[in-house]
Amino acid sequence: VFCGDNLFTVALSLTVLICSSEISVEILHNNQWGTVCDDGWDINDAEVVCRQLRCGPVQSATGSASFGQGTGQIWMDDVACRGSESFLSECRHPGFGTHNCNHGEDAGVVCSAPTVRLVNGNTPCSGRVEILHNNQWGTVCDDGWDINDAEVVCQQLKCGPVQSATGSASFGQGTGPIWMDDVSCTGSESLLSECRHPGFGTHNCQHGEDAGVVCSGYSEISAPKPRLRLVNGNTPCSGRVEILHNNQWGTVCDDNWDINDAKVVCRQLRCGPVQSATSSAYFGQGTGPIWMDQVSCTGSESLLSECGHRGFGTHSCNHGEDAGVVCSG
């Protein structure tokens, strides 16, 4: 379940499983999924959906139930987005449940879904190369894998210039299909899938030959906000809270950890309303640095890093006090 680093599920929002590039649009309201009518549905509306789901740039906005008719409620009609909104629910519309449509008018979008990720690296810009094909993540074989191939991966992920191309499962062995073998890029391609190869799934490799890359890192322009993840939960929207700082994942101490702090985590990860804030390493003890302690959020912040705290790395805790959250998504 992957779109960026997480499954994104948000109240008054959208969800996809494995960030499919072609999706019918459904929104969660009053704990019930429903559709969006295609009256006035255009590329600006679709752009907001693709952005909210982190599924890459929009390609098209579709109507007339092009991806099949939904069931249940029709939650939104006459949607009018500028295209710059972060959430579809922020766009103008007559009100949830107000419409003059039927499910033959269900709206959809086509996004250019991200198709490459790096796994098990020490930084977000290094790791085992995995590609999404047929809605399943798989690896790339190191046969012929070189600096030109790695350059394309770094460009595609906006991770700066390439530093090295690695083989022999240097970032650990993957699982599942081996999608690409004998990759031959010139280095100028925009996507790894544009490079020459025998065909998806055609290979003579095993996972001991999984390819990897090390990129120099995000440029200043494309650098992401401080990243957050949930670890060891029963769902993608529950677990131990970990934050990325100085290219290293670390935990958050539970001193003063409360529902307002957890609310910000759930919002940042687009995981719906908070259900609970957990403490005492409820989801298991983490390793590495403890980055935040005495976190004090009002609950309205967009990012956990915007909340008051003692300073990154300043704490009086141990990993038996790691904080966690349970979100409804």
Side-chain angles (χ1 to χ4, degrees), residues 16-311:
V16 285
L17 298 181
I18 310 188
C19 200
S20 172
S21 62
E22 300 180 351
I23 52 178
S24 57
V25 179
E26 295 195 356
I27 190 162
L28 184 67
H29 179 64
N30 284 346
N31 283 327
Q32 186 176 0
W33 287 103
T35 62
V36 176
C37 183
D38 64 8
D39 292 346
W41 187 252
D42 63 17
I43 200 72
N44 288 332
D45 309 321
E47 184 174 346
V48 175
V49 173
C50 293
R51 177 184 303 112
Q52 182 170 351
L53 294 177
R54 300 184 187 179
C55 278
V58 64
Q59 291 188 352
S60 62
T62 72
S64 303
S66 58
F67 297 111
Q69 294 189 25
T71 59
Q73 298 288 335
I74 298 173
W75 281 132
M76 299 179 75
D77 188 16
D78 296 315
V79 177
C81 303
R82 299 185 305 275
S84 59
E85 296 86 351
S86 299
F87 302 96
L88 188 65
S89 55
E90 295 175 351
C91 299
R92 287 191 296 112
H93 61 99
F96 291 106
T98 301
H99 68 87
N100 58 355
C101 306
N102 60 67
H103 284 298
E105 301 170 78
D106 286 344
V109 302
V110 179
C111 313
S112 54
T115 52
V116 171
R117 69 181 182 186
L118 300 179
V119 178
N120 279 358
N122 296 322
T123 74
C125 288
S126 64
R128 180 176 65 248
V129 178
E130 296 194 353
I131 190 163
L132 184 67
H133 179 66
N134 282 346
N135 278 338
Q136 188 174 6
W137 287 102
T139 62
V140 177
C141 183
D142 64 8
D143 292 346
W145 186 253
D146 62 18
I147 202 72
N148 287 332
D149 308 322
E151 175 71 22
V152 173
V153 172
C154 294
Q155 288 177 11
Q156 182 171 349
L157 294 177
K158 294 182 172 61
C159 271
V162 64
Q163 289 189 345
S164 63
T166 73
S168 302
S170 60
F171 291 102
Q173 296 189 25
T175 58
I178 297 173
W179 281 133
M180 299 180 75
D181 188 15
D182 296 313
V183 177
S184 179
C185 305
T186 65
S188 60
E189 296 86 352
S190 300
L191 305 172
L192 185 65
S193 55
E194 295 174 353
C195 299
R196 287 192 297 113
H197 61 100
F200 288 106
T202 301
H203 67 88
N204 58 356
C205 306
Q206 37 88 14
H207 283 298
E209 302 169 76
D210 285 343
V213 303
V214 178
C215 311
S216 60
Y218 292 100
S219 66
E220 183 176 350
I221 293 176
S222 65
K225 298 290 187 181
R227 292 172 62 187
L228 205 64
R229 68 183 182 185
L230 300 179
V231 179
N232 280 356
N234 296 322
T235 72
C237 286
S238 64
R240 181 176 65 250
V241 179
E242 295 194 353
I243 191 165
L244 185 69
H245 179 65
N246 283 346
N247 280 333
Q248 189 173 4
W249 287 102
T251 62
V252 176
C253 183
D254 64 8
D255 291 347
N256 293 330
W257 186 252
D258 63 18
I259 201 72
N260 286 332
D261 308 322
K263 183 187 297 186
V264 175
V265 172
C266 294
R267 177 183 300 116
Q268 181 172 348
L269 294 178
R270 302 184 177 183
C271 272
V274 63
Q275 288 189 348
S276 63
T278 72
S279 59
S280 302
Y282 179 85
F283 291 103
Q285 295 188 26
T287 58
I290 298 173
W291 281 133
M292 299 179 76
D293 188 16
Q294 301 284 349
V295 177
S296 178
C297 304
T298 65
S300 61
E301 296 85 352
S302 299
L303 305 172
L304 187 65
S305 56
E306 295 174 354
C307 299
H309 60 99
R310 296 175 59 185

